[in-house]
Amino acid sequence: MDTRANQMFTFSQEKLFSLSSKDGTGDAVAISNREKAKSTAFSLNKSKATNEASKEFWFPLLESPWRSMIWAQETRETLVEMVKSYKPASECVPEARVLLLGPVGAGKSSFISSVQSVFSGRVLNRAMVGSSTSTSFTKKVSLFPTNQLRSFSIRKGQDTADGSTSLVLCDVMGIGDGETAGLTLHDALCIIQGHVPEGHQFSPEQPVKSETPGFMKKPTLKDKVHCVVFVVDASKINTYPKGLSTTFQKLREHISSLGVHQVALLTHVDEVCKQTSQDITNVYQSTTVQQTMAKAGALLGMATSYIVPVKNYSSQLELEENTDILLLTAVDHILQYVNMYFQDTEGNVQTNQISSALSGF
């Protein structure tokens, strides 16, 4: 109790004691009044402390954003057209395949649904999103709660006649902090290499192998994954098990050896910063989000320049322009690294061709 509250309590106590003595009601009333005064003073002081504590969650926004972003309708329209008109840099690949990997409940399925929502013109919640329980609803590369491996194109519009973009987002069961739960390292690499067929059900006890029905022994470039996107939840960044970081490090090391680029999404940023929750355009001026990004980078073993924050649609019924911009910026970020993969692949092919030609002399 601070000095002011003490003085208030002492004054109230003395006044009430004096009144009780004058009306002759005795010590019982005086004691009762003292207790009431003490309770009142405590409540006032508690209220003051609560108000002070609530202010601690409001960290000052930076005067200048730590990443530049133009929040305008023109930006949204430009990004939408960019995704619609995107074509893979390799002529033999009709669609860019992007695999999302992350813990259960990180927001992988929600991100795919949110991106689909942007192009559908309305919020879609078709995914059976996994919660923070021991198992994930998404047991396969699918947006549905069935045990099938499926890949989904991002459509250009709400009507079927609008066609699809050249982007395919693949969702898979959540990874665990070891090889006994969730998607295993072996199975993840098999997906990336293009061996896993549609409809395959994943199980740590039954790893993908050459005898697996539908196993593709000689996948072509179009069958492979062209970029891997790690997804982590900003609101859980401080509670993820220590073993998860080791799992991420192993995944990244093996994926890099395949020549596949990796980026990351930091979801639920609106849940760690009140200013960002109230106005998503504050995301790049929030010190809280910036610090959480650094923690995500440490968890993944990845520079923050590869990580982008997003806010998925969840309880909303209508699309919101600035949320769309953040989602579309993430897609643009992903496609940049997809193109780098194709450029690297084409470069390797040309190098091998030159080497083969020189060996003939």
Side-chain angles (χ1 to χ4, degrees):
M1 191 178 295
D2 58 21
T3 305
R4 183 178 178 183
N6 274 324
Q7 291 174 346
M8 179 179 64
F9 170 64
T10 303
F11 172 77
S12 301
Q13 186 183 37
E14 290 175 350
K15 183 176 181 180
L16 287 170
F17 181 80
S18 175
L19 288 172
S20 66
S21 298
K22 287 182 180 180
D23 65 16
T25 54
D27 292 342
V29 174
I31 293 173
S32 176
N33 286 333
R34 280 200 297 271
E35 291 300 320
K36 289 180 180 178
K38 183 176 180 181
S39 176
T40 300
F42 175 78
S43 296
L44 290 171
N45 192 54
K46 182 179 180 181
S47 176
K48 179 181 177 183
T50 301
N51 290 335
E52 290 297 324
S54 64
K55 292 179 182 178
E56 293 178 2
F57 294 97
W58 288 83
F59 295 97
L61 296 173
L62 299 172
E63 291 185 7
S64 300
W66 39 278
R67 280 185 187 171
S68 60
M69 177 73 75
I70 300 175
W71 305 96
Q73 183 178 356
E74 184 179 355
T75 301
R76 183 189 182 281
E77 292 174 354
T78 300
L79 289 167
V80 166
E81 289 305 314
M82 180 275 300
V83 177
K84 284 183 176 181
S85 61
Y86 170 78
K87 297 295 180 185
S90 177
E91 295 181 358
C92 62
V93 179
E95 298 172 324
R97 293 177 58 81
V98 175
L99 175 65
L100 276 65
L101 292 177
V104 174
K108 302 182 298 297
S109 300
S110 293
F111 174 74
I112 296 175
S113 291
S114 296
V115 174
Q116 288 182 320
S117 297
V118 174
F119 290 93
S120 297
R122 57 191 177 89
V123 176
L124 301 175
N125 289 305
R126 298 194 309 174
M128 179 68 83
V129 183
S131 60
S132 54
T133 56
S134 58
T135 58
S136 175
F137 283 120
T138 314
K139 298 269 183 165
K140 52 270 136 205
V141 182
S142 172
L143 286 180
F144 302 101
T146 55
N147 295 332
Q148 295 180 358
L149 173 61
R150 300 178 68 178
S151 306
F152 291 84
S153 299
I154 303 301
R155 305 197 67 82
K156 292 183 178 180
Q158 186 173 352
D159 297 329
T160 304
D162 294 330
S164 299
T165 67
S166 296
L167 173 65
V168 173
L169 297 178
C170 304
D171 189 14
V172 71
M173 66 186 295
I175 60 175
D177 57 351
E179 288 291 295
T180 59
L183 186 71
T184 64
L185 172 62
H186 170 81
D187 285 356
L189 296 177
C190 284
I191 296 172
I192 295 168
Q193 291 173 307
H195 294 301
V196 182
E198 294 283 320
H200 176 74
Q201 181 178 350
F202 295 97
S203 171
E205 294 78 25
Q206 296 179 335
V208 175
K209 50 188 177 181
S210 59
E211 292 78 18
T212 297
F215 182 89
M216 287 181 274
K217 295 182 179 180
K218 295 182 179 180
T220 62
L221 186 60
K222 68 181 180 62
D223 300 315
K224 299 179 180 181
V225 167
H226 310 125
C227 181
V228 171
V229 179
F230 291 103
V231 184
V232 291
D233 185 343
S235 67
K236 299 177 182 176
I237 205 70
N238 294 319
T239 58
Y240 280 133
K242 293 181 179 179
L244 186 61
S245 181
T246 302
T247 300
F248 278 132
Q249 304 287 347
K250 289 181 179 179
L251 277 167
R252 295 201 62 238
E253 181 180 350
H254 284 83
I255 295 171
S256 295
S257 69
L258 298 176
V260 179
H261 296 281
Q262 305 133 61
V263 296
L265 302 177
L266 183 65
T267 61
H268 301 119
V269 291
D270 52 311
E271 295 182 16
V272 297
C273 173
K274 286 189 176 181
Q275 292 98 321
T276 301
S277 176
Q278 293 185 351
D279 185 353
I280 198 63
T281 64
N282 289 326
V283 64
Y284 285 127
Q285 288 179 267
S286 168
T287 54
T288 304
V289 174
Q290 187 180 37
Q291 291 168 4
T292 307
M293 289 264 288
K295 292 179 181 179
L299 177 70
L300 294 164
M302 179 183 289
T304 55
S305 58
Y306 294 98
I307 308 172
V308 289
V310 294
K311 174 185 176 182
N312 292 331
Y313 285 111
S314 55
S315 60
Q316 299 88 343
L317 297 179
E318 300 291 336
L319 296 178
E320 198 276 322
E321 182 177 281
N322 293 323
T323 299
D324 287 357
I325 290 174
L326 206 59
L327 288 164
L328 290 165
T329 300
V331 174
D332 179 47
H333 183 70
I334 292 168
L335 290 177
Q336 289 180 32
Y337 285 90
V338 169
N339 279 338
M340 287 177 63
Y341 171 81
F342 289 131
Q343 290 169 6
D344 294 344
T345 302
E346 290 294 324
N348 291 335
V349 170
Q350 292 176 2
T351 300
N352 292 335
Q353 289 175 344
I354 293 172
S355 298
S356 297
L358 290 175
S359 64
F361 291 97

